[in-house]
Amino acid sequence: MAKAFTTTSPRTNKVARKRAPREAQGAPRSSTRAAAYTLSAAREAELLGEAASLGDNTLVFPGKLARRVIWASRIQLAAERDAADLVRTPFPEDEPALTHEEIHALRDKIELLRVTQSRWQAAQQRQERAIAMFKGPAAEAALHRQTLLRFFDLRFKKSPEGQKRLMAIRAGSGDADLVQDVSDLLLLCSEHAEALHKAPRGEVDATARLRELSPLLARMLADKTLSPEAQRSRKLRDAAYTLVVHAERRLRAAAEYWYAGTDRMKDYAPFPVSRGAASTGEEKEGEAFAEDGAPEGDASEESATEDGAPGEGEDEG
């Protein structure tokens, strides 16, 4: 008789044993239910308005979306667990009292960060594809540019005005300058078409090819330049991240009042950010996770945190 299949593997048992001490301590854990959470259109619009109201007073999102969402979700779950205490925190008179609604709202802000990051990444990927597509035609245009400059160097050997025009073409660098150089060279080719047709070193073919490449390069240059819409997507992503950080800081301040010096404060630890990420805002994704869904390591393992605790760096964005 065939052996009966069991759905409990040795690895499952190992994971369960590893999780047990943490669960016994009452520490919050991330859940698949939280990951599947989505915003209503009305709530998203409301939060986008709040994010837009920040203007330029935003932090630069340092990346690590998966880790960042899990970390923030753990803080939110801890705050829900401790809400009865946190809402009684005696904040200064110039700061509003913490409410149950504010604690629950962190979940919406976390989801807004996820949504705006996805939109920004989609815009960024379109730009990256355009950049990659630009390289081939640009390299070909640069070769034809050299062929024609060699011809005009000789033709303008005794013409200060012609030499000045060639100097202007050579002066710039970069993709935008290349597109302009092609346009300027094609104008020279039109002005000296008769002499150019007598040139024996491929100048006629170079001119014809540049005429084909010129509109293509101009269109591709526009595609590879970050559009206003993409810039707005990135700004909203940073604003959504700022809303999450500000909400966490309020919860952390309340938790400090109630639980400073206790193990419970570990659930409110600020997210660790490397100094390189804090300065560039472009840290890569793809970090490892512990088996219970938590980021490996804690704030003490990193050189900086988002809250800039004593001895730690502030994410200035």
Side-chain angles (χ1 to χ4, degrees):
M1 179 182 295
K3 179 182 284 189
F5 177 74
T6 176
T7 57
T8 304
S9 68
R11 175 175 173 80
T12 302
N13 291 332
K14 179 181 177 182
V15 172
R17 288 195 299 272
K18 184 174 182 180
R19 290 180 179 176
R22 181 174 183 83
E23 294 172 353
Q25 296 170 7
R29 295 173 50 229
S30 59
S31 68
T32 54
R33 181 179 64 85
Y37 181 72
T38 56
L39 285 175
S40 68
R43 181 59 174 149
E44 181 180 337
E46 180 183 351
L47 285 175
L48 285 174
E50 185 178 345
S53 70
L54 294 174
D56 294 328
N57 299 317
T58 59
L59 302 170
V60 175
F61 179 53
K64 297 188 177 182
L65 178 68
R67 285 189 64 187
R68 192 63 186 79
V69 165
I70 288 176
W71 199 283
S73 297
R74 288 160 63 86
I75 292 175
Q76 196 266 337
L77 289 173
E80 286 190 347
R81 177 195 64 199
D82 302 329
D85 287 337
L86 301 184
V87 296
R88 295 189 293 128
T89 304
F91 279 102
E93 293 181 357
D94 61 347
E95 189 170 348
L98 192 63
T99 65
H100 289 279
E101 290 76 17
E102 183 178 349
I103 292 172
H104 297 319
L106 176 55
R107 188 182 186 190
D108 291 342
K109 293 172 181 177
I110 293 168
E111 184 60 20
L112 182 69
L113 173 59
R114 191 200 305 274
V115 169
T116 53
Q117 171 69 350
S118 296
R119 290 170 183 166
W120 156 240
Q121 285 185 328
Q124 193 177 34
Q125 288 168 4
R126 288 193 294 271
Q127 182 194 18
E128 290 172 353
R129 287 194 297 269
I131 290 172
M133 293 176 63
F134 184 86
K135 290 181 179 179
E140 182 184 355
L143 291 175
H144 298 318
R145 173 182 178 273
Q146 289 304 109
T147 297
L148 294 173
L149 284 174
R150 180 185 62 213
F151 168 81
F152 285 112
D153 279 337
L154 180 61
R155 185 161 183 80
F156 295 147
K157 188 174 183 180
K158 297 181 180 180
S159 170
E161 181 181 347
Q163 291 175 16
K164 186 176 180 179
R165 292 177 70 176
L166 295 182
M167 286 176 61
I169 292 174
R170 286 190 167 100
S173 62
D175 296 337
D177 285 300
L178 175 62
V179 173
Q180 185 60 48
D181 290 348
V182 169
S183 179
D184 294 343
L185 275 171
L186 288 175
L187 178 60
L188 280 176
C189 291
S190 297
E191 295 172 357
H192 299 270
E194 185 175 348
L196 194 66
H197 279 290
K198 298 177 182 178
R201 297 196 60 189
E203 288 85 350
V204 174
D205 291 339
T207 302
R209 184 58 180 148
L210 281 186
R211 290 196 189 283
E212 295 175 354
L213 288 174
S214 182
L216 175 64
L217 289 171
R219 183 173 65 253
M220 295 176 75
L221 179 65
D223 290 341
K224 70 187 288 291
T225 302
L226 199 60
S227 68
E229 180 182 356
Q231 293 177 36
R232 182 174 179 273
S233 295
R234 180 172 59 186
K235 187 174 182 179
L236 282 175
R237 184 278 314 272
D238 290 346
Y241 166 66
T242 304
L243 292 181
V244 170
V245 172
H246 286 177
E248 289 178 350
R249 288 175 179 172
R250 289 256 297 160
L251 297 177
R252 192 171 299 117
E256 284 279 1
Y257 173 79
W258 288 98
Y259 312 123
T262 71
D263 286 343
R264 188 161 289 203
M265 275 307 300
K266 293 180 180 179
D267 298 333
Y268 296 90
F271 184 74
V273 180
S274 68
R275 295 191 184 278
S279 63
T280 65
E282 295 298 335
E283 192 163 307
K284 299 296 184 183
E285 300 286 341
E287 275 57 46
F289 291 84
E291 289 186 6
D292 67 346
E296 291 193 352
D298 56 29
S300 64
E301 296 178 352
E302 300 281 347
S303 60
T305 67
E306 290 176 342
D307 259 19
E312 298 169 333
E314 176 76 6
D315 177 5
E316 297 177 352

